[in-house]
């Protein structure tokens, strides 16, 4: 069975997984902490 999710959900899950796996990973950039980011991923 194939799992289908949106691109933004896939990016969100990949970032969360990597941040759990490696505590040295962090995200930096514009609108990172804003709830209304363009793609609502972070």
């Amino acid at each position: 069975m194939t799992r289908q999710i949106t691109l933004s959900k896939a990016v969100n899950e990949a970032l969360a997984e990597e941040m759990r796996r490696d505590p040295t990973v962090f995200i930096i950039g514009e609108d990172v902490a804003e709830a209304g980011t363009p793609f609502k991923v972070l």
Side-chain angles (χ1 to χ4, degrees), residues 1-19:
M1 185 169 149
T2 302
R3 179 177 175 220
Q4 292 185 356
I5 59 174
T6 63
L7 176 62
S8 60
K9 179 73 172 163
V11 170
N12 185 273
E13 288 183 11
L15 289 170
E17 179 179 332
E18 193 60 20
M19 291 179 82

Side-chain angles (χ1 to χ4, degrees), residues 16-34:
E17 179 179 332
E18 193 60 20
M19 291 179 82
R20 280 191 298 270
R21 186 190 71 76
D22 183 350
T24 66
V25 171
F26 65 96
I27 300 171
I28 189 169
E30 292 184 28
D31 296 331
V32 169
E34 297 296 322

